[in-house]
Amino acid sequence: MTVTMDEIMACERWASTRELLSTIFLFKDDAEGDQFMRDALLSMILLWVPIAIFFLLYKRDTAKRLVRGRAWFPTLIVAVISTYIGLPFALDILQNGFSLEEMYVDSDRARFGVTFYIVFAITDIVLGVIFYPGELDILSGWIHHIMYVLLQINLLRNHATSIFMPGFLEELPTAILALGHIHPMLRQDILFGLSFFLTRILFQYIYAYFIVSNYNHNHPSAIFCVAAASVSSVLHTHWFINWAKNIKKYLKKKPE
């Protein structure tokens, strides 16, 4: 078999990129770098292709609504795919609990899920700066994305990605919220609140309980996971209380 110069150059570019990523993420071997690159490429396809099509075809009656709809579409994609990825892990917790041995481990599905979220966070920040800077909030945009990227890099490096997967179920209300921002006729405030309560309150506290109660002092990712679970529980409770204060308004409100 004859190998062309283009194929040799492609292999060299792949190896160079893998080496760069291995340096950034501190991967232990080439296999980890290769898997991350494959997962990242698939993530880019799953995100960038529908985003490009949506940006070209999406129309709204005002510039403000156009920008807001574009801003929420990447979030809709990641919420739907993350919910699908995390559902089996969440169901396993509810049925069988979450032991210490099961928490700080890896799987191909979990590593892809973490990589997918990293690609989304970077994509959302880049698109936000270019297309919707006014919609890129400091707390839920910049701070949230950067902190979660750092956490997920830590999980990838320490082969603990499975601990993050049950929380992906909590992206379900985000998908409902995103639909409402993309088109007002799709807004469902009560459904959003119900899904938020079931996933980000009830399930979150079960999930956080297992993480905190099975704290592993010897694992380098443990302290970050406990911190993320604790802060998330407090924030979700605060947000749900604010939503509940307006429930009468939501019950009476009609779609635009």
Side-chain angles (χ1 to χ4, degrees), residues 195-249:
S195 65
F196 193 101
F197 177 74
L198 292 174
T199 59
R200 295 206 174 203
I201 300 297
L202 289 182
F203 178 76
Q204 168 64 26
Y205 273 91
I206 295 171
Y207 177 41
Y209 166 77
F210 283 114
I211 291 177
V212 174
S213 62
N214 287 292
Y215 178 64
N216 183 352
H217 298 271
N218 298 317
H219 198 282
S221 297
I223 186 63
F224 302 107
C225 293
V226 169
S230 302
V231 172
S232 296
S233 298
V234 173
L235 282 175
H236 293 176
T237 302
H238 172 71
W239 291 335
F240 184 74
I241 290 173
N242 287 339
W243 176 88
K245 289 178 180 178
N246 296 302
I247 191 169
K248 291 183 179 179
K249 180 182 71 174

Side-chain angles (χ1 to χ4, degrees), residues 86-97 166 169 203:
L87 182 60
F89 295 90
L91 291 176
D92 188 53
I93 280 186
L94 295 175
Q95 294 171 358
N96 306 310
L169 177 67
F203 178 76

Side-chain angles (χ1 to χ4, degrees), residues 3 13 16-17 38-39 46 51 63 71 81 114 135 151 159-160 164 186 199 206 240:
V3 179
R13 286 195 295 269
S16 299
T17 305
R38 289 193 298 269
D39 289 344
L46 290 173
I51 287 173
I81 294 178
V114 165
E135 298 290 330
L151 171 62
H159 298 275
F164 197 74
L186 300 175
T199 59
I206 295 171
F240 184 74

